[in-house]
């Protein structure tokens, strides 16, 4: 029997995996090869930049992954590899024998992503075959709840949702809170723009999250749980629903789990599109059916959470680590990483790098190792400028500090934060003032409006940044930004406001020159801010095709056919249309 | 025709209301159900939910306006969500947005004149490695250029034309 797997997470499907899948299905059907070929859907292995991916596995254990597969290539792979056992060399992206994209995997250590892209996420047996639900069994029958918490504490696992709070400690607080009824919530809101770790895990290995939640529920004494997923992730919701119903059917969820006295049931709540709902107290309000407003803590959810009952909230990735820790032992987990940051961390790599996708690395690896050794360096041979970590709560780490190791405390020293794991790599063509403005406009829009400094302060900061990018910056703008940042940080109620100024502060700290160029020279060095760039036609390249003149929405381009054209910079609105349509790349920015 | 399909929708929603109406925390799932059925949250639905849950209408309006997901106005047949996330921003989301606006002659949060499309922006689609990305209904498209998104929009229009 040969197995053919197609990567069908959202990333794969949006790259065209469904067409490939349907074609393979047709081929197997036409030739009636069901007894010889097994077709399987799988999740995301992390090689998003090579999607759609097709893997062929033979009985002798040989496995080959093909990338950027379309219908034609799928037919070729089927004809040669699946039927005749001949590898299609020119389409191979990885063959597990350290060929192809081996670099991508060589420095990774996969705990959370252990099954992603390998198993069929819609088949509970696939998960069980990989040792799934044995950790639950071990926890239920070999450990007391206290011992489970002890194990998690010793492992050194810290919350992967951003803050990095010790998971064992959090569980202990919930366990110690008086009350019969308790809840466990999985935070799958994944609000950070530029992050997709949680989506990938939910779509590729949903049972690992359920198993982690079950173990947590047993440890803290909860009988009910919720998974709060953002509505923008329809595929993750679908797979979670299936996983819950399969797990219930097999007796892993429900009453008397595995014939023990432990009961636990799970519900899915769909988010409704508000970033602040990722914050614990806001998330709880949202599940209760209210506006998702954060409230003052204490009391912490561990004491008074959902419907006023003790509630333990963890992130998707935190839960996915748990079964591995119980199975392999806390000490094995703690042997990886740095002194205070143990285990591994998943990162969503995106931006101007060669290989964007999902990776998992041991803590302690440096950012440079991730960018150059794993992600293949910067696209098109450009230079690294900065890495944005921690989303809107984080900051930009400049290239010269990219030797910083992946470690909660080390990253905080730069002014950024580990955050949930979005890593956006920026090259010289990224304007840092524009990036700061981007994040500020995000937090400004997402502020729930409860505290004045968060609501109005971010608005004032955004106005200043907008002015600077439009060439109307003033001398006092920089001190004003500092002053507002200080006040917003100290006077806001929840993490959203407290961290909102961070992207501005880190860019001011490391890229002050760029701010000054905008304010004093009215120039955008990265040539991004429309008001500060001038479009020019290179007379040596222009062939007078007249396309740009026809497409210019304001009639700013003049010139006769077959003659060099010119842009009137007085009239030009810097929309960039001419540059987009020029067949000879004769338009450039100045 | 129109009235009967409205009746079906009303019946569908009433069923949801009977099923979840008494549950705690049902307001958001009910609003989500209403939006799925009607494509927006009609005023009557709010008073129906209020009656069933005994929660004042004003609180329900508070919820509707707080969450970006909910709309109080009908939408076009296809909803275009242009990602404005970090990765997409760095890789040219603005140009994609401009291309859609120009090509369909529509602004954010508006419907096209033919009622075919509604244009929205979203914080992040979670497809950052394929940025810039756009979601049309439940389908995600990645690695877009202004040209390719125009092509995709045209194919939707063409499909509609053929159906007619
Ligand atoms: C504004 C704001 C948004 C947040 N969004 C998320 C999120 O989307 N996902 C998440 O897991 N945690 C998010 N958090 C962090 C959570 O409040 C909380 O710390 C986390 O769910 C705890 O889980 P952990 O201990 O496993 O990290 C957010 C916090 C704030 C202040
Ligand atoms: S930034 Fe656009 S999909 Fe994440």
């Amino acid at each position: 029997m040969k197995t053919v797997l197609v990567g069908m997470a959202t990333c794969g499907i949006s790259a065209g995996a469904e067409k490939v899948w349907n074609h393979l299905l047709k081929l197997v059907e036409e030739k009636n090869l069901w007894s010889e070929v097994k077709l399987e859907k799988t999740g995301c292995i992390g090689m998003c930049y090579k999607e759609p991916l097709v893997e062929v596995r033979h009985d002798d254990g040989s496995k080959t992954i093909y990338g950027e597969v379309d219908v034609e290539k799928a037919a070729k792979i089927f004809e040669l590899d699946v039927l005749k056992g001949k590898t299609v060399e020119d389409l191979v992206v990885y063959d597990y024998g350290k060929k192809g994209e081996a670099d991508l995997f060589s420095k990774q250590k996969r705990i959370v992503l252990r099954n992603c892209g390998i198993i069929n996420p819609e088949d509970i047996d696939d998960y069980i075959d990989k040792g799934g639900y044995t950790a639950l069994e071990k926890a239920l029958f070999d450990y007391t709840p206290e011992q489970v918490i002890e194990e998690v504490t010793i492992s050194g696992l810290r919350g992967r949702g951003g803050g990095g709070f010790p998971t064992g400690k959090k569980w202990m607080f919930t366990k110690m809170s008086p009350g019969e009824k308790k809840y466990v919530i999985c935070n799958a809101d994944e609000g950070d723009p530029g992050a997709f770790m949680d989506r990938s895990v939910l779509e590729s290995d949903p049972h690992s999250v359920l198993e982690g939640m079950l173990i947590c529920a047993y440890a803290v004494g909860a009988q009910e749980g919720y998974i709060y997923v953002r509505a923008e992730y329809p595929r993750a919701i679908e797979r979670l629903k299936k996983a819950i119903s399969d797990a219930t059917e097999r007796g892993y969820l429900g009453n008397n789990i595995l014939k023990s006295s432990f009961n636990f049931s799970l519900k899915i709540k769909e988010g409704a599109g508000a970033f602040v709902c990722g914050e614990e107290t806001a998330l709880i309000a949202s599940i209760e059916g209210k506006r998702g407003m954060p409230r003052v803590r204490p009391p912490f959810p561990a004491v008074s959470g959902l419907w006023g009952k003790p509630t333990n909230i963890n992130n998707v990735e935190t839960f996915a680590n748990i079964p591995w820790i119980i199975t392999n032992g806390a000490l094995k987990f703690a042997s990886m990483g740095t002194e205070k940051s143990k285990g591994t961390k998943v990162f969503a790599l995106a931006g101007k790098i060669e290989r964007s996708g999902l990776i998992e690395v041991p803590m302690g690896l440096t950012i440079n190792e991730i960018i150059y050794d794993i992600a293949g360096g910067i696209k098109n041979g450009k230079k690294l400028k900065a890495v944005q970590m921690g989303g809107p709560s984080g900051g930009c780490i400049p290239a010269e500090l990219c030797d910083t190791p992946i470690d909660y405390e080390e990253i905080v020293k730069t002014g950024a934060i580990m955050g949930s794991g979005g890593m956006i790599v920026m090259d010289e063509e990224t304007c840092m003032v524009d990036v700061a403005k981007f994040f500020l406009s995000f937090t400004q829009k997402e502020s729930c409006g409860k505290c004045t400094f968060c609501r109005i302060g971010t608005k004032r900061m955004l106005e200043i940044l907008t002015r600077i990018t439009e060439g109307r910056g003033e001398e006092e703008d920089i001190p004003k930004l500092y002053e507002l940042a200080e006040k917003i940080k100290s006077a806001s109620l929840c993490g959203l406001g407290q961290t909102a100024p961070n992207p501005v502060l880190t860019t001011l700290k490391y890229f002050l020159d760029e701010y000054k160029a905008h304010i004093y020279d009215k120039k955008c060095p990265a040539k991004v801010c429309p008001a500060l760039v001038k479009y020019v036609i290179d007379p040596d390249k222009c062939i007078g095709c007249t396309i740009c003149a026809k497409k210019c929405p304001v009639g700013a381009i003049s010139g006769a056919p077959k003659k060099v054209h010119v842009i009137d910079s007085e009239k030009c609105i810097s929309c960039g249309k001419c540059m987009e349509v020029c067949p000879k790349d004769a338009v450039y920015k100045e | 025709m129109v009235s009967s399909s409205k009746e079906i929708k009303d019946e569908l929603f009433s069923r949801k209301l009977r099923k979840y109406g008494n549950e705690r925390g049902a307001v958001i799932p009910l609003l989500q159900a209403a939006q799925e059925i009607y494509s927006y949250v009609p005023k009557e639905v709010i008073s129906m939910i209020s009656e069933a849950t005994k929660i004042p209408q004003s609180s329900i309006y508070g919820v509707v306006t707080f969450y970006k997901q909910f709309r109080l106005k009908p939408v076009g047949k296809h909803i275009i969500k242009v990602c404005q996330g970090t990765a997409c921003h760095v890789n040219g989301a603005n140009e994609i947005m401009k291309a859609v606006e120009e090509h369909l002659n529509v602004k954010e949060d508006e419907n096209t004149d033919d009622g075919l499309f509604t244009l929205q922006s979203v914080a992040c689609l979670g497809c950052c490695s394929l940025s810039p990305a756009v979601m049309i209904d439940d389908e995600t498209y990645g690695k877009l250029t202004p040209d390719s998104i125009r092509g995709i929009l045209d194919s939707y229009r063409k499909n509609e034309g053929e159906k007619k």
Side-chain angles (χ1 to χ4, degrees):
Chain A
M1 194 84 178
K2 297 145 199 169
T3 312
V4 183
L5 295 114
V6 183
M8 301 273 269
T10 298
C11 40
I13 292 177
S14 47
E18 208 137 41
K19 281 192 202 111
V20 170
W21 169 264
N22 289 335
H23 192 67
L24 289 169
L25 206 64
K26 200 177 99 197
L27 290 177
V28 177
E29 205 138 276
E30 268 172 11
K31 304 192 171 142
N32 195 16
L33 291 169
W34 291 113
S35 56
E36 258 176 76
V37 182
K38 194 167 148 204
L39 271 185
E40 287 259 37
K41 292 180 184 177
T42 184
C44 172
I45 200 166
M47 235 189 268
C48 308
Y49 61 104
K50 286 284 183 190
E51 303 262 19
L53 297 169
V54 171
E55 178 173 346
V56 181
R57 292 184 191 160
H58 289 282
D59 283 337
D60 61 2
S62 67
K63 298 188 270 189
T64 314
I65 301 183
Y66 298 101
E68 297 181 324
V69 179
D70 54 20
V71 168
E72 227 164 87
K73 290 177 186 164
K76 194 166 162 193
I77 293 164
F78 194 80
E79 190 61 34
L80 293 175
D81 193 346
V82 181
L83 297 182
K84 301 197 184 118
K86 270 192 233 150
T87 311
V88 191
E89 296 293 344
D90 54 327
L91 301 180
V92 176
V93 290
Y94 187 54
D95 78 349
Y96 292 87
K98 302 246 173 276
K99 244 205 301 191
E101 305 283 310
D103 288 352
L104 178 74
F105 294 99
S106 63
K107 289 202 169 176
Q108 290 198 48
K109 174 88 190 98
R110 292 164 81 93
I111 292 178
V112 173
L113 305 181
R114 58 193 179 277
N115 295 323
C116 294
I118 294 174
I119 64 166
N120 179 349
E122 294 179 6
D123 188 345
I124 189 170
D125 285 319
D126 258 26
Y127 181 67
I128 293 171
D129 284 348
K130 291 276 171 198
Y133 289 113
T134 51
L136 173 68
E137 215 172 307
K138 190 168 170 186
L140 282 184
F141 300 112
D142 301 350
Y143 291 165
T144 62
E146 290 77 9
Q147 282 171 324
V148 172
I149 296 181
E150 174 91 7
E151 237 356 65
V152 175
T153 307
I154 294 172
S155 77
L157 176 66
R158 295 169 68 170
R160 300 294 194 238
F165 190 81
T167 306
K169 219 183 220 172
K170 199 183 228 178
W171 289 18
M172 185 52 102
F173 287 143
T174 313
K175 171 156 190 63
M176 290 191 322
S177 282
E180 276 296 298
K181 189 143 182 116
K182 292 179 186 177
Y183 293 96
V184 168
I185 296 176
C186 174
N187 189 342
D189 193 46
E190 189 145 83
D192 278 7
F196 54 94
M197 308 72 55
D198 296 347
R199 171 183 65 72
S200 279
V201 172
L202 295 171
E203 285 179 352
S204 311
D205 191 15
H207 286 285
S208 69
V209 181
L210 301 194
E211 191 175 2
M213 290 184 77
L214 276 154
I215 294 169
C216 171
Y218 169 70
V220 305
Q223 305 80 29
E224 270 178 61
Y226 287 90
I227 305 176
Y228 190 89
V229 203
R230 61 187 330 210
E232 284 89 346
Y233 289 175
R235 211 154 267 117
I237 294 171
E238 208 177 286
R239 294 205 176 139
L240 271 175
K241 281 187 181 153
K242 173 142 179 46
I244 290 175
S245 96
D246 290 349
T248 310
E249 198 174 290
R250 298 291 179 94
Y252 296 116
L253 272 173
N255 287 338
N256 303 107
I257 290 169
L258 297 174
K259 304 203 168 62
S260 72
S261 58
F262 171 54
N263 306 331
F264 186 66
S265 62
L266 255 179
K267 278 200 190 118
I268 295 175
K269 281 273 169 175
E270 280 183 43
F275 173 69
V276 74
C277 286
E279 199 273 342
E280 299 181 344
T281 58
L283 188 152
I284 288 171
S286 180
I287 294 183
E288 291 174 350
K290 299 184 240 167
R291 289 166 76 104
M293 300 276 219
R295 62 159 173 79
V296 184
R297 300 180 299 180
F300 288 90
V303 176
S304 173
L306 187 62
W307 320 114
K309 305 279 189 270
T311 302
N312 187 86
I313 304 191
N314 282 119
N315 165 263
V316 171
E317 191 184 332
T318 314
F319 281 127
N321 269 300
I322 299 292
W324 193 95
I325 291 172
I326 299 296
T327 305
N328 296 278
L331 290 175
K332 187 150 179 215
F333 189 86
S335 72
M336 282 175 282
T338 63
E339 201 197 325
K340 284 187 184 152
S341 303
K342 301 294 187 195
T344 58
K345 178 78 195 84
V346 181
F347 286 102
L349 301 178
K352 307 278 179 86
I353 34 167
E354 284 289 346
R355 306 184 189 125
S356 44
L358 200 71
I359 60 153
E360 181 173 357
V361 295
M363 299 274 190
L365 217 68
T366 67
I367 297 171
N368 271 330
E369 281 175 285
I370 293 178
I371 295 177
Y372 292 101
D373 300 347
I374 298 179
I378 310 301
K379 248 193 230 168
N380 305 326
K382 296 256 158 64
K383 245 177 73 192
L384 170 67
K385 184 167 182 177
V387 174
Q388 209 286 340
M389 277 179 73
S393 310
C396 293
I397 301 174
E400 61 277 17
L401 289 183
C402 283
D403 273 327
T404 305
I406 297 303
D407 173 289
Y408 285 94
E409 281 70 26
E410 291 297 319
I411 289 175
V412 166
K413 280 186 201 157
T414 68
I417 57 164
M418 177 87 86
S420 57
M423 204 183 255
I424 314 268
V425 180
M426 299 165 180
D427 66 6
E428 298 147 295
E429 289 177 2
T430 315
C431 167
M432 302 317 276
V433 188
D434 175 70
V435 167
K437 184 179 96 183
F438 165 78
F439 279 109
L440 240 278
S441 64
F442 178 86
T443 35
Q444 197 271 317
K445 262 191 262 168
E446 295 292 344
S447 165
C448 77
K450 194 162 170 174
C451 14
T452 321
F453 266 103
C454 177
R455 183 179 71 240
I456 297 172
T458 54
K459 191 156 180 108
R460 290 291 101 86
M461 276 181 106
L462 178 60
E463 280 165 9
I464 296 174
L465 289 168
T466 306
R467 233 182 26 231
I468 296 175
T469 57
E470 286 174 354
R472 295 180 290 115
E474 293 157 14
E475 179 123 29
E476 328 78 86
D477 280 347
I478 291 169
K480 254 193 225 156
L481 283 174
Y482 274 114
E483 194 194 336
L484 282 163
E486 187 97 353
K487 293 196 169 133
I488 296 167
K489 272 171 97 89
S490 60
S492 293
L493 177 72
C494 87
L496 187 137
Q498 286 157 6
T499 60
N502 288 353
V504 183
L505 289 173
T506 51
T507 47
L508 275 171
K509 181 167 166 195
Y510 300 117
F511 301 96
L512 187 62
D513 283 350
E514 219 166 315
Y515 277 87
K516 287 185 172 160
H518 282 76
I519 297 173
Y520 300 115
D521 312 335
K522 308 293 174 205
K523 283 228 151 59
C524 174
K527 303 197 180 73
V528 170
C529 300
L532 302 177
V533 298
K534 210 168 122 195
Y535 284 79
V536 188
I537 295 175
D538 183 342
D540 294 338
K541 285 191 183 163
C542 177
I543 52 165
C545 69
T546 75
I547 292 178
C548 61
K550 280 188 199 131
K551 292 280 179 182
C552 177
V554 291
I557 305 179
S558 55
K562 302 219 166 68
K563 294 265 157 62
V564 171
H565 282 54
V566 247
I567 302 176
D568 180 349
S569 54
E570 291 292 312
K571 280 192 193 160
C572 173
I573 53 165
S574 296
C575 69
K577 194 88 195 175
C578 47
M579 197 165 166
E580 188 199 319
V581 296
C582 176
K584 292 284 164 194
D585 289 332
V587 186
Y588 63 96
K589 291 193 259 185
E590 200 178 78
Chain B
M1 214 3 229
V2 174
S3 71
S4 76
S5 80
K6 185 178 178 306
E7 274 160 28
I8 295 171
K9 286 174 181 172
D10 288 348
E11 174 52 30
L12 275 175
F13 184 68
S14 305
R15 253 185 248 168
K16 292 270 177 200
L17 206 57
R18 283 196 293 276
K19 196 162 157 205
Y20 302 114
N22 315 322
E23 266 179 41
R24 285 207 283 185
V27 172
I28 294 172
L30 281 173
L31 288 168
Q32 283 168 334
Q35 185 151 301
E36 200 158 285
I37 293 167
Y38 299 97
S39 94
Y40 72 107
V41 181
K43 275 201 185 76
E44 305 90 78
V45 158
I46 292 177
S47 58
M48 279 159 83
I49 296 178
S50 167
E51 231 165 79
T53 58
K54 310 273 178 301
I55 295 171
Q57 283 200 29
S58 58
S59 305
I60 300 175
Y61 271 107
V63 172
V64 172
T65 51
F66 182 82
Y67 295 99
K68 263 204 284 321
Q69 190 185 13
F70 300 124
R71 304 173 288 259
L72 290 161
K73 275 189 303 203
V75 285
K77 187 155 180 198
H78 302 287
I79 298 179
I80 308 170
K81 295 180 179 146
V82 180
C83 178
Q84 301 289 346
T86 324
C88 288
H89 179 79
V90 171
N91 281 327
N94 282 345
E95 272 95 81
I96 303 297
M97 190 61 155
K98 254 196 285 178
V100 178
E101 284 181 342
E102 275 174 26
H103 199 64
L104 299 180
N105 190 21
V106 68
K107 287 255 170 306
E108 205 181 315
D109 291 321
E110 285 178 5
N111 305 344
T112 50
D113 290 337
D114 57 6
L116 211 50
F117 299 102
T118 300
L119 179 60
Q120 297 180 339
S121 67
V122 284
C124 173
L125 292 171
C127 276
C128 321
S129 52
L130 299 173
S131 55
V134 163
M135 192 166 172
I136 304 181
D137 304 329
D138 271 351
E139 206 62 53
T140 317
Y141 300 89
K143 290 191 186 164
L144 293 169
T145 60
D147 256 343
S148 66
I149 185 67
R150 281 183 217 122
I152 292 167
L153 295 171
D154 286 343
S155 73
Y156 274 81
R157 270 187 175 160
K158 197 162 153 264
N159 270 342
E160 290 301 327
E162 276 162 14
K163 265 189 225 156
K164 270 181 197 161

